[in-house]
Structures are given as structure tokens and as C-alpha cells.
Amino acid sequence: MFQDFNKVSIFRNRRVVVLDTSPVRNLAYSNKIPEWVKIFSKMKKAGYLFTLSECTFGELLKQKNIGAMSDKEFRNIIGRLKMFLSMTLPVMPGEVDVLRLIRSEPHYNFHDNDIKAISKKAFRMLVDQKINYTEILIEEIERERSEWRNLISNLDQIHSQDSEEFNEISDYRLDMYIKGHDRDRVMDPLLSRRLDLRTRYIWRQYVRSKKKNEPYNVNAPKKANDGIDLRIYTYLALPALIVAEDKGFFGSIENIPSFQKSWIMKPDDLAKSWANRTLKFPEW
């Protein structure tokens, strides 16, 4: 199952669970330790590797730096995360690095120590109370937003001469877009399968940007973080489970016909499935 990055031994035969921002942020406000945290702690002992997404790390760091939560609330988050989070890999590498890990990008030169060192440094940035990283975060967030706008813009250029109406769910151009991931790549499974949900999400948003009535506006302030949300879908390519809690997160992919949707779970559902021995971990 993890044959694609067996050389990176921290992942070998490990079941990776990546946490989105919403369940982690909510740990700040609960008076008691949620039951799912306790079960995740047991899952960690059973060999599961729990880690924060790069986006979750960035959002928590931003909220901490701008004073969006009290010191007590932030200590709640850190204390509860330490109950189940991998201290070997507390923060996952970013999107580009994940693609390198699965050998879809050239110049693969990662080593265990590199990944561990970067991940641990990131978590120390969260715990450290002395340094403000706001300027660095602003630059990174703007870069991610720009990349999202470029994705939509590139599709618009490719299909600028198309007069036929687009379909956001079933379209021969979508099929071509999906298959395009496999060009000049030899992988098993194919990159197109690994990025199924991610690709279908991008296409749907592009098609919605072409609507005559109330089109999706990638430049609208309210849509500024859509590209940041997109990045977490890349972790499904490992494969991995994603833990999220925000209704908007699930609503945004509700109508997308992708087999990977079931790999995104609420924390309580994941915990109960594991406790009941009904959890099916992603497999190709």
C-alpha cells in the first residue's frame, strides 16, 4: 500500500491520517477532552500516524500570531494534539513535496532526516511563544492564492475557443484533463487516480466560473481561500485519510463523483469506525 515511498521509512507500513484545520481549531474551546482524541491516542499506539496538514499548521500559526485565541485556548490545542500527534512527523510536507514523495515530480532527493527536521521545526514554531511569523505567513498565503487563480486561468486559456457548453460533472474535456496527469509518468496506481478528487474539484470550479448567472469568481475576496483548501486533497494521493469537521468542507465536495470522498471523515466517525473495527483504510 505504501510501496511508492518505501524508501522514506517514516511512512513504511504506516496508515497516515492528516488533520484539517476545523477539528484541530475546535480543540481550543471544548471544556473536556473529546472522546475522539482519546481514541486517536489508542490508534497512534496501534501504528496510525496522525499529522497536521500544511494548511492547518499555517492557519493555527496565523491565529496564534494575530491573537485570535487566548493563551489558554492555544494551550488546549497543543496539549490535546500531543496526545495523538506523531512527534516524528507532526506536520506533513506541502503539496509539491508530497508529489515528489510519490515520485510524480522529478528531482526526488528526500531523506528521512530532511522530512523529520522540517516537520519538527514547523511544530516548534507553533509551540514557540517568542517569535511572530505573520509576515512569512502572509507571503505564503498570497502565493497559494495566486497559484489557485493561475489554475483556473490556465484552464480558461486552454478552452478559450470552445463554444460547446461545459458540464461540471461529466465532460469529455474533463476526461482529457484527468488523463493528462499521466503523460510521461509511469506510476502504479496512475497519478490521475491518485488526484481524482482534486482534479474533479478544480474542473467543477472552472466550469462554474463560465456560468452566465452568478459565475464563480476566483478573484472574489470570499473565494480567496479556495486554493488553500484545495491543497489538502493532494494528501489523498499517498493514500491517506483526511479528518475534517467544517460543514462547508464537506458541502464543497458533496456533488463530486469521486471514490476518494469516503476517505475524508469527521473525527467522531473515524474514531467510532476504528473502535468498532469497521474502519476501512484507503487502498488502491
Side-chain angles (χ1 to χ4, degrees):
M1 180 166 53
F2 294 91
Q3 59 187 359
D4 302 290
F5 44 102
N6 266 346
K7 292 184 179 179
V8 186
S9 65
I10 53 175
F11 292 111
R12 189 176 298 135
N13 299 321
R14 302 296 298 277
R15 295 181 171 183
V16 180
V17 182
V18 183
L19 280 88
D20 181 45
T21 304
S22 50
V24 177
R25 183 180 54 229
N26 291 342
L27 289 176
Y29 311 113
S30 54
N31 293 324
K32 297 181 179 180
I33 297 175
E35 190 63 28
W36 63 263
V37 171
K38 299 176 184 177
I39 295 177
F40 281 13
S41 178
K42 295 178 181 178
M43 292 175 68
K44 176 183 178 180
K45 294 177 182 177
Y48 285 78
L49 191 155
F50 290 91
T51 180
L52 303 178
S53 77
E54 180 195 35
C55 301
T56 301
F57 157 71
E59 182 62 27
L60 290 178
L61 193 60
K62 183 185 76 172
Q63 292 193 16
K64 172 191 172 185
N65 285 174
I66 67 175
M69 61 180 69
S70 68
D71 289 342
K72 180 182 178 182
E73 289 169 340
F74 199 80
R75 286 197 301 271
N76 277 347
I77 290 177
I78 299 301
R80 292 165 181 181
L81 282 177
K82 286 183 176 179
M83 292 179 64
F84 64 87
L85 203 67
S86 166
M87 289 297 107
T88 302
L89 194 79
V91 179
M92 275 292 288
E95 183 177 62
V96 174
D97 292 339
V98 168
L99 293 175
R100 288 173 178 163
L101 280 171
I102 63 173
R103 309 293 200 274
S104 75
E105 292 293 331
H107 309 302
Y108 176 87
N109 58 356
F110 271 132
H111 300 285
D112 274 11
N113 290 337
D114 297 329
I115 299 173
K116 293 176 185 176
I118 294 171
S119 181
K120 291 177 181 178
K121 181 180 179 181
F123 193 70
R124 286 197 299 271
M125 291 169 68
L126 277 180
V127 177
D128 188 359
Q129 300 292 324
K130 299 177 182 179
I131 303 176
N132 191 305
Y133 298 95
T134 303
E135 291 186 7
I136 298 174
L137 281 170
I138 290 174
E139 291 180 3
E140 179 63 19
I141 289 171
E142 287 306 314
R143 183 181 65 81
E144 292 173 354
R145 288 172 175 169
S146 178
E147 289 178 357
W148 171 239
R149 291 191 293 268
N150 289 339
L151 273 173
I152 301 298
S153 177
N154 289 342
L155 281 172
D156 201 35
Q157 291 178 24
I158 292 170
H159 299 289
S160 61
Q161 303 300 317
D162 290 8
S163 57
E164 187 177 344
E165 187 175 350
F166 293 91
N167 188 298
E168 63 182 48
I169 302 298
S170 178
D171 194 302
Y172 72 91
R173 288 156 295 192
L174 168 59
D175 296 337
M176 292 171 61
Y177 182 30
I178 292 172
K179 292 177 181 177
H181 289 309
D182 302 327
R183 193 175 297 118
D184 301 323
R185 290 186 176 94
V186 180
M187 301 179 65
D188 182 22
L190 296 172
L191 185 62
S192 58
R193 182 165 175 78
R194 292 172 179 271
L195 297 181
D196 186 76
L197 177 58
R198 181 185 185 277
T199 307
R200 293 178 185 277
Y201 176 83
I202 295 170
W203 176 260
R204 189 195 65 183
Q205 297 309 103
Y206 165 65
V207 173
R208 290 183 176 182
S209 75
K210 309 300 291 181
K211 292 170 62 177
K212 294 181 179 179
N213 298 320
E214 299 183 0
Y216 172 75
N217 182 3
V218 71
N219 296 305
K222 289 184 178 180
K223 305 300 181 182
N225 289 333
D226 285 5
I228 297 174
D229 295 339
L230 169 77
R231 299 169 74 86
I232 198 169
Y233 301 142
T234 309
Y235 294 120
L236 298 171
L238 292 173
L241 285 173
I242 292 174
V243 175
E245 205 161 35
D246 183 66
K247 291 182 179 179
F249 186 99
F250 288 93
S252 67
I253 59 174
E254 187 175 11
N255 77 326
I256 298 178
S258 173
F259 68 96
Q260 290 181 315
K261 283 196 302 183
S262 63
W263 299 2
I264 303 174
M265 305 180 71
K266 295 181 179 180
D268 285 322
D269 292 340
L270 173 57
K272 290 176 182 177
S273 294
W274 184 81
N276 295 333
R277 299 184 179 181
T278 58
L279 177 62
K280 294 183 179 179
F281 202 81
E283 293 183 355
W284 302 118

